[in-house]
Amino acid sequence: MIGGKSGTISLEKQFWEWFAQNQDTYFYLEAHDLDSMDLLANQLKQVHEHLTFDLTEVDAHGRRDLIISADGLHTSFPAVIKLVEAAPPLSQWNVVPFRQASPVDTFRIRIGDTYLHSGNVKFSFDVAQCRLMLNLFVSHYETQPEHYDLGCMILIDTLLGEYEAATKIFFLDIKDTEEAEDYESLPSLEVLPILLEDVNQGKVKGSIPIVPTDLPSSKDPYHVQDHFVLMRNQEHGFPHLVLINSSYYTFSKKHEFPWLLSISFPYEPAKEGLPTSAKSDQLIAEEQKLLSILSPISKAYFTYRSTWNGTRILYIHLNNWPEIEYSFQNSFHQAFGQASFEIAYEKDWETVRAMLVYLKDAEQNMDQ
């Protein structure tokens, strides 16, 4: 069992040592062996409380997939990535992060005397911050709302895969078909993957593509010329200042920097919620100290910083995290007192895209 070994061995390594010793058992495991299933589930929860798993059938190459899942919880995605990246070579196994999208042509969920499938669920949508706001419409929803809620979420997870479903659906409401204004004209859920692809590519109003097609890529894929633009907006009556690195558009290696590190520095707000001149200088010094901590241990792309009503937040994309986590945590806590940080896995740079949409109406006030 995990936890009985020395604390110098990471929980991830302990899990994989245990799994490697028991991999033959699970390779030949039948679905009805609930005791072994529970044991694997418990081992994962000792690594992180929200981790779960799926096992696929043996494929044509004689391998099975062990799918490590966060059960749809976005905040637990870094734990999935960290565990998967720590996996050793396993001769009979593919270790896969997140439940993957699957064909749904014949996928049915039975609810009472009816079946729920992607063809009989219709939807309307809006786009907010490069993500979808969905209204789903289902016949007889009011009869068993809790079952239909679960069934619809399973359908979306199956259509999009766990990662896309958790990060690209901003809002979801499920209603009876009678609440739809023009039910017959609405699309069915089976076209949702196509819609999401269009949103990601900036083809649907409200979204901005990651790299606009009319801008060239940098000749040097890693070292682009930083160019910071100050953008102003109002939020709840206080000025919101965002210093954004506009070289974002020509940085062609975004996919290699999927780890978003956000660091919050609180300050005592002065006039209009902004820092004093002296405090601003201090915050800039803290920013430079942070970059000096990161420089020896990871490639880093400074994306933008936000200043609003007593909090400055820096957003920096990294090309790795699990390997530097321990080193960074030690250095960070020694260097900064009240500051805090969060890490997220964002392969499509969702947060910076959302900020660009948020600031789109403020472009006239841009100060270059």
Side-chain angles (χ1 to χ4, degrees), residues 281-333:
D281 290 342
Q282 182 181 342
L283 288 169
I284 291 174
E286 298 285 275
E287 180 180 305
Q288 295 302 317
K289 186 193 301 184
L290 174 71
L291 293 175
S292 70
I293 290 173
L294 285 171
S295 179
I297 59 177
S298 176
K299 290 180 180 177
Y301 180 91
F302 192 112
T303 314
Y304 71 95
R305 77 177 183 217
S306 166
T307 306
W308 180 79
N309 193 27
T311 304
R312 171 164 288 181
I313 307 178
L314 311 180
Y315 296 86
I316 300 173
H317 279 84
L318 307 176
N319 74 325
N320 62 349
W321 174 252
E323 300 86 350
I324 71 167
E325 179 179 9
Y326 182 76
S327 172
F328 176 79
Q329 283 182 341
N330 285 344
S331 300
F332 181 86
H333 292 308

Side-chain angles (χ1 to χ4, degrees), residues 52-303:
T52 184
F53 73 96
D54 285 324
L55 301 175
T56 64
E57 298 296 324
V58 179
D59 64 20
H61 302 287
R63 300 175 69 87
R64 292 186 83 168
D65 288 353
L66 170 60
I67 300 171
I68 306 296
S69 165
D71 212 16
L73 296 174
H74 190 195
T75 54
S76 299
F77 280 14
V80 172
I81 299 298
K82 188 175 181 181
L83 181 59
V84 170
E85 291 189 343
L90 298 166
S91 59
Q92 297 174 301
W93 292 91
N94 304 311
V95 181
V96 180
F98 309 115
R99 293 189 296 266
Q100 303 297 297
S102 304
V104 293
D105 297 343
T106 59
F107 188 73
R108 301 285 188 273
I109 300 172
R110 184 168 183 170
I111 300 178
D113 296 329
T114 63
Y115 286 89
L116 192 67
H117 56 85
S118 60
N120 64 4
V121 177
K122 295 197 171 187
F123 72 96
S124 63
F125 74 94
D126 200 353
V127 177
Q129 300 182 343
C130 300
R131 295 184 290 173
L132 287 171
M133 303 175 67
L134 296 178
N135 292 301
L136 307 188
F137 299 97
V138 184
S139 297
H140 311 298
Y141 172 73
E142 297 299 334
T143 61
Q144 299 185 72
E146 66 283 355
H147 291 95
Y148 281 105
D149 286 347
L150 179 60
C152 286
M153 287 189 286
I154 292 173
L155 276 177
I156 290 176
D157 245 22
T158 305
L159 278 164
L160 302 180
E162 179 182 2
Y163 183 90
E164 296 288 286
T167 60
K168 301 302 176 63
I169 306 298
F170 178 66
F171 172 83
L172 176 63
D173 194 13
I174 304 172
K175 307 175 182 180
D176 197 276
T177 53
E178 294 180 358
E179 297 189 51
E181 293 185 7
D182 188 4
Y183 177 76
E184 294 301 325
S185 68
L186 293 177
S188 60
L189 202 58
E190 57 198 356
V191 306
L192 185 61
I194 300 172
L195 170 63
L196 185 57
E197 183 177 351
D198 286 346
V199 170
N200 287 339
Q201 294 178 1
K203 297 178 181 178
V204 178
K205 184 179 180 181
S207 69
I208 294 178
I210 295 177
V211 180
T213 55
D214 58 341
L215 289 175
S217 296
S218 168
K219 291 181 180 179
D220 184 334
Y222 294 105
H223 299 93
V224 294
Q225 183 65 44
D226 288 341
H227 179 64
F228 290 94
V229 173
L230 180 64
M231 305 181 79
R232 299 184 179 94
N233 207 341
Q234 290 287 121
E235 186 174 347
H236 302 297
F238 293 98
H240 185 188
L241 306 183
V242 176
L243 188 71
I244 192 162
N245 192 345
S246 63
S247 68
Y248 156 91
Y249 286 112
T250 55
F251 184 46
S252 62
K253 292 292 183 179
K254 294 181 181 67
H255 63 284
E256 294 184 15
F257 289 72
W259 300 97
L260 176 62
L261 179 66
S262 55
I263 307 96
S264 298
F265 293 98
Y267 62 85
E268 188 65 33
K271 185 179 179 181
E272 296 186 312
L274 298 175
T276 63
S277 177
K279 186 61 181 178
S280 181
D281 290 342
Q282 182 181 342
L283 288 169
I284 291 174
E286 298 285 275
E287 180 180 305
Q288 295 302 317
K289 186 193 301 184
L290 174 71
L291 293 175
S292 70
I293 290 173
L294 285 171
S295 179
I297 59 177
S298 176
K299 290 180 180 177
Y301 180 91
F302 192 112
T303 314

